[in-house]
Amino acid sequence: GFAGRVMVVDLDLHDGDGTRAVFAKDPTVFTFSIHNQPWGPPEALASFSLALGTGIDDRRYLAAIREHLPRCFAEFVPELVVYVAGADPAADDRLGDWQISNAGMLERDRVVFGLARGAPRSGPPLPMVVVLAGGYGPDAWRHAARLFSLISSGGRRALEPVSTSEIVLHRFRQMARLLNPSVLSGESGTPANTDDWELAPEDLAGLGGAPHETRFLGFYTLEGLELTLERAGLLDRLRAIGFSEVNLELDLSHSLGQTIRVYGDAARRELLIEVRAHRDRASVPGMEVLTVEWMTLQNPRAEFTSERPPLPGQKHPGLGMTQEILAMMVLACDRLKLDGVLFVPSRFHIVGTVRGPLRFLEPADEALRLAIQDAVRGLPLVEASRRLENDRVVDAATGTPVHWRPAAMVLPVSLQLKARMESAEYEAQVSTARASLDFELLP
């Protein structure tokens, strides 16, 4: 029933050609779109369309918005603004090909919100409708959260949302508080000074022969692990994508590590999750960490697509559960008083798919990661990893190809390990090592 003049400000990464086509002959609806590539005819009675291409940064993006949007507002004089607030221009977007920072995305929102409220134009504030659009990846919601907090405060400030990994971990920690440790370990929790031993089947398995491990990490029974995954909602997520007969297997026979496997079928032919890990006192002097020797998260029934091609070494598409599995490992560290999680990423792209405060244990390895990330900035993760493996990242001075160097990476959990990884000494060593590395990307 609205009969006034409507301006659609479409700042999704992709062309707003749909809205422009629908209202191509309607002079009361103005479609404003700044995007990467044109998708449809730009002609319309009331529209502005600008394709900037790939690899756009904050400077070019914000300059284009500030140059053209206020002018379009002034010339069209809208009475209602519909803001298509796409998150896919952001640098952290998994499918987008632009490099707009968090600050740049928020500044974009400030410009649109400010124009709708009347600055710098004259006149009363306009009603504004915000709709979400593109945004691909676990952190896309954070751009919308900043925008909504900006609107809620009347444009005065935007709150910085916590990370997705922190939210997942907080939720899992709340869940863990409701689980009785005795249910996870199979131990009764009976005080040690009673005469009732109440041995569990896992304890009896070791009697009469050489002692051997009967619980994962010396604590979790198979039933305890299954209960933990069930309460965390991970098994339900597997069922939701078609694996109705999920079952677990616990292999404690290997001397160098213990393995959890989750299958999607009763015959145990469809491996979904495999994690081999052990408690480790050798890798970080003076501390005990949970070392993950390898981890597989895959959907053997899914197919790769042109939008989501396989990463190097990947046999099947992933499950999209890396953050949740990592949070489960942090819970294990909480419960077993371990200092953190340690693993060795064999390929560059593995670092890019894992979120959270992860850093390489040695400053020189952290500096190498930062230098490679700077060289491939702007490329999708798949393409960046391929360029690195195909010797297209080289030392700027010598032309020598840069190769990924597998090394220990840690997610600190204890205050002691966090202090080490956040110390001024560590930061200084990273800075010194980074200053000596200058890499460039070959076409």
Side-chain angles (χ1 to χ4, degrees):
F2 184 81
R5 299 163 65 83
V6 181
M7 173 176 277
V8 179
V9 180
D10 190 333
L11 295 183
D12 186 270
L13 178 74
H14 305 101
D15 190 359
D17 59 320
T19 310
R20 189 170 60 245
V22 168
F23 297 103
K25 298 180 180 180
D26 186 344
T28 70
V29 178
F30 189 105
T31 301
F32 179 97
S33 177
I34 292 182
H35 43 268
N36 58 354
Q37 305 294 339
W39 276 13
E43 294 81 12
L45 292 178
S47 72
F48 174 84
S49 177
L50 177 61
L52 293 177
T54 62
I56 299 303
D57 59 12
D58 287 8
R59 183 185 60 81
R60 290 189 60 193
Y61 187 46
L62 295 174
I65 293 173
R66 288 174 178 142
E67 178 183 357
H68 299 291
L69 188 56
R71 173 179 57 81
C72 291
F73 261 82
E75 293 175 358
F76 181 70
V77 192
E79 298 169 89
L80 170 68
V81 177
V82 177
Y83 180 24
V84 184
D88 46 0
D92 61 7
D93 194 82
R94 288 186 174 178
L95 297 185
D97 57 5
W98 282 5
Q99 292 299 304
I100 312 304
S101 67
N102 292 344
M105 293 289 290
L106 181 58
E107 182 59 26
R108 172 199 76 168
D109 296 339
R110 287 185 188 276
V111 172
V112 178
F113 184 62
L115 286 167
R117 287 184 61 83
R121 65 173 182 84
S122 60
L126 300 175
M128 183 171 74
V129 176
V130 178
V131 294
L132 302 183
Y136 308 94
D139 291 321
W141 68 272
R142 302 179 77 227
H143 301 290
R146 295 184 189 97
L147 168 60
F148 294 151
S149 66
L150 178 71
I151 293 172
S152 298
S153 71
R156 292 185 298 276
R157 62 172 183 157
L159 300 178
E160 180 62 21
V162 299
S163 68
T164 303
S165 58
E166 286 178 291
I167 289 178
V168 172
L169 180 57
H170 177 70
R171 178 166 61 86
F172 280 15
R173 277 177 166 156
Q174 287 182 313
M175 175 271 297
R177 294 189 188 101
L178 303 178
L179 291 175
N180 189 324
S182 65
V183 176
L184 305 179
S185 66
E187 297 176 350
S188 66
T190 306
N193 59 357
T194 69
D195 294 329
D196 186 1
W197 288 6
E198 294 194 22
L199 296 177
E202 289 80 6
D203 299 309
L204 295 173
L207 297 179
H212 63 275
E213 287 286 353
T214 59
R215 295 178 176 86
F216 183 67
L217 304 179
F219 181 80
Y220 295 94
T221 63
L222 177 62
E223 292 77 12
L225 288 169
E226 185 168 5
L227 176 62
T228 300
L229 295 175
E230 192 75 76
R231 290 286 182 87
L234 301 190
L235 300 188
D236 270 345
R237 283 182 57 181
L238 295 176
R239 297 182 188 109
I241 60 175
F243 297 100
S244 58
E245 297 183 273
V246 178
N247 66 89
L248 274 68
E249 176 182 271
L250 187 56
D251 181 0
L252 306 178
S253 61
H254 201 284
S255 60
L256 297 179
Q258 303 172 329
T259 306
I260 304 169
R261 299 185 183 94
V262 180
Y263 295 92
D265 63 323
R268 297 186 176 180
R269 285 191 285 264
E270 294 182 310
L271 180 65
L272 308 180
I273 300 173
E274 183 174 46
V275 177
R276 172 172 284 183
H278 67 278
R279 298 174 69 149
D280 177 0
R281 292 183 179 272
S283 296
V284 185
M287 303 185 202
E288 185 178 16
V289 296
L290 173 61
T291 290
V292 180
E293 297 176 43
W294 75 65
M295 181 171 72
T296 299
L297 304 174
Q298 62 183 14
N299 184 347
R301 298 183 189 176
E303 300 289 338
F304 292 110
T305 65
S306 57
E307 291 80 16
R308 298 297 297 272
L311 291 161
Q314 194 175 20
K315 295 181 179 179
H316 302 287
L319 291 170
M321 297 169 59
T322 302
Q323 294 305 313
E324 288 82 355
I325 297 299
L326 199 59
M328 302 297 293
M329 294 177 184
V330 173
L331 291 187
C333 292
D334 287 345
R335 196 172 293 281
L336 303 178
K337 309 302 182 191
L338 304 180
D339 291 286
V341 181
L342 181 147
F343 69 101
V344 178
S346 59
R347 286 184 162 98
F348 168 74
H349 71 262
I350 295 175
V351 177
T353 58
V354 178
R355 306 277 186 214
L358 288 155
R359 307 194 81 178
F360 280 97
L361 189 61
E362 297 300 328
D365 297 318
E366 181 68 10
L368 176 66
R369 174 179 76 97
L370 295 175
I372 292 175
Q373 286 182 336
D374 287 343
V376 301
R377 192 173 305 279
L379 292 179
L381 182 60
V382 174
E383 181 61 23
S385 189
R386 284 178 177 166
R387 295 274 191 101
L388 182 64
E389 297 211 358
N390 291 333
D391 295 339
R392 309 311 292 169
V393 179
V394 300
D395 187 291
T398 65
T400 305
V402 176
H403 295 129
W404 181 247
R405 185 169 64 211
M409 198 172 205
V410 294
L411 172 59
V413 175
S414 71
L415 294 177
Q416 183 182 9
L417 187 52
K418 286 180 179 178
R420 169 175 171 161
M421 303 309 298
E422 297 171 3
S423 67
E425 179 182 3
Y426 179 91
E427 296 291 354
Q429 291 178 6
V430 171
S431 179
T432 300
R434 175 67 187 88
S436 67
L437 302 176
D438 184 15
F439 301 156
E440 64 181 11
L441 183 67
L442 299 181

